Amino acid sequence: MPGDNNSSSDRAGSRDDVVQRGPVQLRGERARDTTTRDQRLLDRRGPSDWVHTDPWRVLRIQSEFIEGFGALAEVPRAVAVFGSARTPVDHPDYEVGRRLGEALVEAGYAVVTGGGPGVMEAANRGACEAGGFSIGLGIELPFEQRLNDWVDLGLNFRYFFARKTMFVKYAQAFVCLPGGFGTMDELFEALTLVQTGKITRFPIVLFGTEYWSGLVDWLRATMVREGKVFESDLDLLSVTDSVDEAVRIIREAHRGNEETLLFGEETSW
């Protein structure tokens, strides 16, 4: 009966419902599971059968590193651009991201983003429109699943830590536009690596003085004052409202440096 067919269709889920789980695409009812592998790996609540599956997860984690290193090994020098996925197309930050992507390409850099919408899409779009190399490193999430249409080379990761390694290894600078927790995560990851000497000659640019001034003021008034970081550690950050200035900071940091100076000596684990 027609009514039975409709009911069956509702149970199965719409064919328009598509999500990405790492390299796997799911449709219909299978797309309704909103948990991620990161969540299932880190969340210890519930049954203890995860103990028996962790060794297999190690192999899956290893495969993410292998796929990432293989796909990105031949990428030219690149700059990672971070910012909010919630930035609408008609927002000034979107236009800034687009102009920044274009300017980086004109300066000889590929552009790497998280591959999502908002500022990430804007930077990828600017790079594409300038005829440059546009890269997106996506992550499996309950939302923001799809890589944007301006990504030339795209990778989807299950695990944040594998993805973050690719950003640091294959980008020679970070530019952070206004963003949320994800942007902060990448920012402080890079700051820690530079501060501790794991990577060198790695400029970190905060774009938008009005947005970032509160954070920088807090770092100086609280962290520096309490002796948690040195005043000189704040020199690791550059803050600007100019696309040209952001690109200049990056180019000057890299001018005349060999690859070993850009990335530092590899540390034995």
Side-chain angles (χ1 to χ4, degrees):
M1 295 177 62
D4 292 336
N5 290 338
N6 290 339
S7 175
S8 175
S9 175
D10 290 341
R11 288 195 302 270
S14 170
R15 299 297 298 168
D16 295 331
D17 294 336
V18 180
V19 298
Q20 196 80 24
R21 293 282 185 264
V24 179
Q25 177 176 289
L26 301 174
R27 188 186 297 273
E29 186 173 354
R30 293 180 182 273
R32 294 185 176 184
D33 181 9
T34 59
T35 63
T36 67
R37 287 180 172 85
D38 251 345
Q39 179 181 343
R40 294 192 290 273
L41 171 65
L42 299 175
D43 193 346
R44 297 193 175 191
R45 294 171 296 178
S48 61
D49 60 347
W50 60 270
V51 174
H52 307 292
T53 61
D54 274 1
W56 296 104
R57 284 201 177 104
V58 170
L59 295 178
R60 197 158 54 211
I61 291 166
Q62 176 181 280
S63 74
E64 292 217 333
F65 282 105
I66 292 172
E67 290 168 2
F69 292 153
L72 300 172
E74 303 301 324
V75 166
R77 60 180 188 165
V79 173
V81 179
F82 299 102
S84 177
R86 304 180 183 184
T87 302
V89 175
D90 58 354
H91 194 281
D93 287 346
Y94 187 97
E95 179 58 26
V96 168
R98 190 173 173 181
R99 289 194 290 112
L100 179 63
E102 179 181 355
L104 288 170
V105 166
E106 291 173 350
Y109 293 95
V111 172
V112 187
T113 78
V119 167
M120 294 175 283
E121 176 187 291
N124 286 133
R125 180 176 179 177
C128 277
E129 291 175 337
F133 197 173
S134 174
I135 303 161
L137 307 181
I139 184 70
E140 176 188 299
L141 294 172
F143 48 85
E144 298 166 10
Q145 292 287 336
R146 180 175 168 274
L147 291 175
N148 68 68
D149 293 334
W150 300 95
V151 168
D152 295 325
L153 171 62
L155 288 169
N156 274 301
F157 290 85
R158 298 181 180 95
Y159 302 105
F160 270 109
F161 52 83
R163 176 180 182 242
K164 288 165 71 175
T165 299
M166 302 304 150
F167 277 124
V168 173
K169 181 171 178 58
Y170 294 105
Q172 294 179 334
F174 281 4
V175 181
C176 297
L177 275 69
F181 288 163
T183 302
M184 295 290 184
D185 182 38
E186 299 293 352
L187 166 61
F188 282 99
E189 173 87 4
L191 278 174
T192 302
L193 291 173
V194 177
Q195 182 198 45
T196 55
K198 296 295 184 181
I199 51 176
T200 60
R201 303 294 194 280
F202 195 92
I204 303 168
V205 181
L206 303 181
F207 198 101
T209 55
E210 183 178 356
Y211 188 85
W212 294 108
S213 60
L215 173 63
V216 175
D217 290 344
W218 180 82
L219 293 175
R220 179 171 288 108
T222 302
M223 280 193 170
V224 173
R225 186 185 64 193
E226 295 290 331
K228 303 301 187 288
V229 298
F230 296 123
E231 178 74 31
S232 59
D233 289 332
L234 299 188
D235 294 337
L236 301 176
L237 291 169
S238 299
V239 186
T240 183
D241 290 313
S242 166
V243 169
D244 292 339
E245 175 73 4
V247 175
R248 184 192 64 78
I249 291 168
I250 294 168
R251 295 187 69 176
E252 288 189 357
H254 295 158
R255 184 170 289 124
N257 290 318
E258 298 296 331
E259 184 173 297
T260 53
L261 290 176
L262 291 176
F263 297 104
E265 297 295 333
E266 185 171 345
T267 302
S268 299
W269 289 85

